Amino acid sequence: MPTGHATGGTGPARSRERFLQGEPVEAGVRTSILSSWQRSRSLGLSPDQADLPFRDDFDRDARIVRAAVPVLDRLQARFAGSRMNISVADASGTVLLRRFGEASLARSLPAFQRVPGFVFAERVAGTNGIGLALAERQLIRVHGAEHFAERSQRSACRALPVRDPLSGRIEGVLCFGYPSSTEDPELAITIRKAAQAIERRLLRQSSARERALLRAYLDTGAATSAGLHHTVGVDELALELHPRDRAVLTEKAAELISRGQRAAAVVSLFDGRRVTLVSRPMRSGSGVEGVAIEAVLPGPAPREPLAVPTQVDVPPGSSGRLAVVTAVPPPRFVPAAAAPGRLPVATLSRNLPDVAHGPFGTVDRVDAADDHPDAPSRTRGLVMVGEPRVGTYALAARRRLELLSEASARIGTTLDVRRTAQELAETAVPRLADFVTIDLPEAVLRGEESADPRTDLHRTVVHGISDDLPFSPVGKQVDFGPTTPQIRCLTSGQAVLEPDLKAAAGWLAQDPEHTERLLTEVHSLIAVPLVARGVILGIASFYRAQDPAPFGDDDRSLGLELASRAALSIDNARRYTRERTMVLTLQRSLLPHDLPDQDAVEIAHRYLPAESDVGGDWYDVIPLSGTRIGLFVGDVVGHGMLSAATMGQLRTAARSFAELDFPPDEVLTHLDNLVGRLDREEPAAGAGVIGATCLYAVYDPTSQQCTMARAGHPPPALVRPDGTVSFPDLPAGPPLGLGGLPFESAEIHLPEGSRLLLYTDGLIEDRHRDVDVVLDQLRGALAHPEQTPEQTCQTVLETVAPAHPCDDIALLVARTHALDPRRIAAWDLPADPARVSEVRAAALRQLADWGLDETAFAAELMLSELVTNAIRHGAGPIRVRLLHGRTLICEVSDASNTAPHLRRAASTDEGGRGLFLVAQLAQSWGTRYLPEGKVIWAECGLDAA
């Protein structure tokens, strides 16, 4: 990296290296460059990035392009044979035009510097001429190491914003790029001349009436009247003004023009300052009558003009001195797509510049001058010029456009039908109507299409400037007669205007008593159908009360446009409601409805769907052999029908694997294989990779041990009987679906009365909250040992769950119990058939002690067969265990891994009927494997005979 000083004393190149390493830089770096470096770093830009965004949809016939092409052609001829490249970019930093002084230069440059379309905005390209000129709104020079990107270290550039002379807006940027070794101070003069030539060509694209009014304003000498020594346009203060201030100033200026007379208005700004707007009638030499609006600004005058001067044509007979002007088009020329609240402005210089001549025509050379010490601390600038008669229409048109623009932002912010209808009413009041009622069919509120909306309308929204009018209340069914404006609008599909409700026979006949009370307040009505994609969604009724003027055709068109936009949003919300209801129904049908009866744990559970969409969260409780219990909680990645269906498959598979008595880590391994297979077999039409997380815990009340394993899932919360809350450090394990990675399990002792909380990430993860803070909240909510599982669920949802969850929440709370040791009997015996009778006798005595005499016969027979099989086909040592719970469980374990199989013995076979007898006498039986050996168990009811 070069370490010398940049030309012009702008600071050493090593400053950039120190900045990139996070060290403080010395004072040699210009403030604008350092600020741009800091912005680039905060945006996460890398100095080594080589690619820039490319757009091929830019307007190749934009105003700035038409104005700049001849100027760039002359620049190319002037710099022929040099390594100069000239660019014109639009106001977003997209390069629109390219010219090269030397043809071979284009071939030697990187691709992003050869053709138009690449974006050089600071937010994507870092510190560069085009991006910095847009950010600083003035002439910029970036030299060598002042560039943020490595690729530009040997280059220099000068860039200057190009403004529309009539609107004051920056239309684009003119940029000269050249090797840093060929720096020439005269380039500053040249680029100013070229930019001014482009601005003059932009001015010629405006209408003759605009130019005539502007020339008339210049001829009045208003810029130097009333002792205001220095003028400045309001647009140059746009960075300091609140957007609401700019909108208010523009609105007030247009209103003054529409009055067509000399007047003044004081506008209070957001920060407490006040601006005086003065209207000045004038008449051009060609007979165009108009009004100029000037702003008298408070505070000291700037020390120098805030904008680069631009020459305008001076009519014959004027003073011959040139004024620098940027002004807004008269209201009748305000483009329909103009952003509301934009403050166009005119800027006039105090000292009229000398005239210089160059290859680009006549240009201005401006030198900053000190202000007179006795000058008053006020400044004046042109805000707007226009014609009064047209201004009246323009003011109304602007307000309608602003309302439509606001409606685009305010209506449809959620996918809730009622909320969207409410947003329509809030947008229309009071700027279009004083009261709005919206009636929707009940079916639409449920997400369906109404079979006959005329007979199924319900009052959904009532909104207005007051709450005391006797409209039908929200929720009431509304029956409109066939001659009412509301039904007529549904029949015709068009907005129905009733300018005078006192003469609207159909509306008056609907409910004479009710309408008579309304007529004391409202006087005009527009009824608009809410129709989207051919579906009738309801009716919007706009009422006018305070404004004495009745609704007109323009108001009807505006109401229809608002209703059309709102109807589309309501239909989107209706469709979403229908889909969400379907998915939620599927989701709930796939979750457990009733938890099994068992004695190992006391269970409470909750499922809370996300507000925006339904996901694939699930939970399950599975009774296992030996009075053990399996606890599942899982989360399928994504939302919608696919996630819910995948959840159902995983829950079914997880239950099957668990009932086979696989340990937790093996269950997760089988689920991992299943998710991988689903992803390969069902790509879901490009919906993405299927993934899931899961936590599986098995609790044994006989030993009070809990074995847990998780696959990318948050660890559980453990509340011990003394109220101590902890989050066990379980091996994390990869999410399901990655494949090829092992899972590990951990074993934890849970004293009786402990609470185990299993949950999905929707409980703790939220974009607006820190996870560590949420876990602290969860710890505090659980630190109440006296709470029941139901109380724990409620407390956690009330204190920890987000108010508006963006992801599903599944919650499972289990309070552990221990099996009374007096209900457990166990014997160890060698592999000797002679010991079978001893075990039978001991078991009968134990059953008698438990009061299970009626079960003794079946238990004795099952135990005899299981012990005999273990002695004949297994390996010692052999252990027999009886568990007295809700049922009687007989367990026989040995050191062999050979599994017994039930088979049908032939009539000639001497054996093979033992397991058949066990299966007939037991409610259920099976095998589970241990780290060394297996357990064969059989369960029978306590009333078995």
Side-chain angles (χ1 to χ4, degrees), residues 14 34 88 94 112 133 142 148 169 206 311 322 357 371 409 504 511 604 607 673 680 738 805 812 879 932 940:
R14 185 170 294 279
L34 181 58
V88 170
T94 302
F112 63 84
V142 183
F148 186 77
R169 291 187 296 267
S206 60
Q311 181 185 4
L322 302 180
H357 300 276
D371 296 328
D511 186 350
Y607 170 73
N673 294 333
R680 292 189 300 269
L738 294 183
L812 190 65
R879 182 177 178 82
E932 295 181 358
C940 64

Side-chain angles (χ1 to χ4, degrees), residues 425-426 428-436 462-469 471 521-522 543-547:
E426 292 173 353
V429 176
R431 299 170 67 178
L432 172 62
D434 297 317
F435 295 93
V436 175
V462 177
H463 183 71
I465 57 177
S466 65
D467 300 328
D468 56 354
L469 289 191
F471 290 106
E521 298 289 343
V522 300
Y543 295 89
R544 180 164 287 178
Q546 289 189 344
D547 191 343

Side-chain angles (χ1 to χ4, degrees), residues 379-446:
T379 58
R380 170 176 294 187
L382 179 63
V383 176
M384 187 180 292
V385 293
E387 300 177 63
R389 183 174 58 85
V390 180
T392 302
Y393 299 122
L395 182 62
R398 174 180 296 169
R399 288 175 176 172
R400 288 194 293 270
L401 289 173
E402 290 175 354
L403 181 57
L404 290 176
S405 177
E406 181 180 335
S408 300
R410 292 186 60 180
I411 300 176
T413 59
T414 67
L415 288 172
D416 181 83
V417 174
R418 287 183 174 86
R419 180 57 196 159
T420 304
Q422 182 71 29
E423 289 170 345
L424 168 61
E426 292 173 353
T427 303
V429 176
R431 299 170 67 178
L432 172 62
D434 297 317
F435 295 93
V436 175
T437 63
I438 298 178
D439 307 308
L440 302 178
E442 186 67 26
V444 172
L445 297 174
R446 296 193 306 266

